[in-house]
Amino acid sequence: MSAADAPWRLSIAELVPLIRDGALSPVDLLDAYLERIGALDGALHSFVHLNAHARAAAEAAQAEIAAGRWRGPLHGVPIGVKDNHLTADMPTTAGAPGEAFPLRDATAVARLRAAGAVLIGKTRMHQFAWGMETPPTANPRDLSRVPGGSSGGSGAAVAAGLCAAALGSDTGGSIRIPASLCGCVGLKPTFGLIGRGGIVPHSWSLDHAGPLAASVADAALLTEAMAGPDPDDPGCAGLAAPGLAAAAAPGASVAGLRVGVCHRHFFEGLTPAVERAADAALAALVAAGARIVEFDAPELSVGLGAIFAIELASSTAWHDRRLREGRVAGFEPDVRLLVEMGRLVSGADYLQAERYRRRLGEVFAARFADVDVVAGPTLPLTAWRMGERSVDIGGRSESVLAVSWRLTYPWNLLGLPALSLPCGVDGDGLPIGFQIAGPAFGEAAVLRAGAALEAALGGPMARG
């Protein structure tokens, strides 16, 4: 099947020369995605809204490109937008029908428009960015399984080839979890690299904005486009991120790269399939020239309680008026329980959690003096069945809420960049994710390692 017959199979990096040189028009590309959405999304439920203005944007991009006004690698490329990012031409509900947020562009959305991207629609999310399932969205690899959350619609849409890439947000793993379960790439950049102005808050000090994409190179392209100053986000670092696309370009070398491995936390309680795939990924990095550096971080043993306290308190504070006024009828039961649980977090609890966060930051600052990146599995398991509330791993029953973000949350607490990319499948053909994290603003090393591993494993996971 040729690219012209199925352009949705191609990564953005592969689409760029076709669009730039006129071999593929943005309108035809949009139509290919819309046709696929029409055929598949009735079962997947990955989109909550399709953009009525997408065709006009694609036509405008086509005219600009024909006139020689090329804006760059995202020009004319259809991108999905998670439903907690404000958009000027589409409603935003944050997964809660009946909520009305302003019609304006979030900073990340505005940057994508400026880069020439075509916003194809809003992707479904777990309500108010809580949860790990995103009902009723299905996993495109197995419709009986969850896509992960809270950016489950974005993960499902990208993996199924319903858009070239999509925006997500990540508070404890909400970009990397769907990427791992659905079989695509997800990047949580350094805290403040991508401004969060115009994104409905979940936890002010833990929220990160970032992309889900078909390949490591595509994630780099989107991150580079969205990074920069944001007057609406006081936590924004105000830094551009040139060079990320180059770091993830074909032929990325990891010769001499020091890859930190912490078995105590990141390799405990894994399913056998995940453990085998993660070990094979590490071996592939070593074969490509990287060097494994073992280290220990016993402080991680109590981290889940710390991030949960911070997240609960932050979310409850943001929803305080709704709670006091009794405006909770539209909350899903699981979300209402979590939001109200935040009232049980005392001031002392919150401060102790923040003290722990600072201590963990000191620990990993010392570790990153000796290693360039830290690597291991993204999740201990693959996608679980819809409706399951607990899973059995090695004879031990665990809550899916706890197990699904056990390996991702440390990088949110620390605000450090972390990438998830597919590294294999289990016996049921379900994707397994591999996570690579780095020091603050160390995205280039993270992406370089990810691109090299992706190439060593045979390239990006096929979509569809």
Side-chain angles (χ1 to χ4, degrees), residues 29-331:
L29 180 59
L30 175 66
D31 284 343
Y33 282 119
L34 290 174
E35 181 179 350
R36 192 158 173 81
I37 290 170
L40 299 180
D41 209 43
L44 285 178
H45 306 289
S46 64
F47 281 93
V48 291
H49 186 89
L50 292 179
N51 191 354
H53 306 280
R55 179 167 298 277
E59 290 171 348
Q62 184 168 312
E64 288 178 344
I65 294 167
R69 298 196 297 275
W70 172 251
R71 298 197 200 183
L74 300 182
H75 205 172
V77 175
I79 305 294
V81 179
K82 185 177 179 178
D83 189 31
N84 61 347
H85 291 59
L86 301 186
T87 43
D89 52 2
M90 292 179 280
T92 299
T93 70
E99 291 288 334
F101 293 95
L103 286 171
R104 66 177 181 85
D105 281 344
T107 301
V109 171
R111 289 187 179 278
L112 288 183
R113 285 199 208 269
V118 174
L119 305 186
I120 193 170
K122 303 297 279 289
T123 55
R124 195 179 301 273
M125 58 180 282
H126 206 116
Q127 191 176 66
F128 290 119
W130 274 112
M132 302 300 176
E133 299 184 9
T134 318
T137 304
N139 190 313
R141 311 295 179 175
D142 180 340
L143 297 181
S144 71
R145 310 226 176 212
V146 303
S150 63
S151 308
S154 291
V158 171
L162 307 190
C163 55
L167 302 189
S169 62
D170 191 313
T171 304
S174 290
I175 288 172
R176 291 156 291 150
I177 291 168
S180 180
L181 298 183
C182 293
C184 59
V185 174
L187 175 63
K188 180 197 77 64
T190 302
F191 183 81
L193 183 66
I194 296 176
R196 298 165 301 162
I199 299 177
V200 178
H202 179 60
S203 173
W204 293 283
S205 68
L206 297 170
D207 292 346
H208 299 65
L212 292 98
S215 70
V216 175
D218 288 1
L221 287 171
L222 268 81
T223 303
E224 195 169 301
M226 291 187 287
D230 182 358
D232 295 325
D233 178 6
C236 183
L239 302 174
L244 297 188
S253 172
V254 291
L257 189 78
R258 300 169 302 170
V259 178
V261 174
C262 178
H263 281 95
R264 180 193 292 261
H265 180 83
F266 292 105
F267 283 79
E268 291 178 334
L270 310 178
T271 64
V274 170
E275 186 171 7
R276 285 192 298 269
D279 286 343
L282 288 175
L285 286 171
V286 170
R291 178 166 62 91
I292 300 299
V293 179
E294 302 269 1
F295 72 93
D296 196 11
E299 296 83 0
L300 285 167
S301 62
V302 295
L304 195 59
I307 192 172
F308 204 36
I310 294 169
E311 186 173 3
L312 282 170
S314 300
S315 178
T316 301
W318 192 77
H319 288 286
D320 180 63
R321 177 173 291 181
R322 288 180 177 83
L323 292 171
R324 286 188 288 107
E325 295 177 356
R327 293 189 289 115
V328 295
F331 282 34

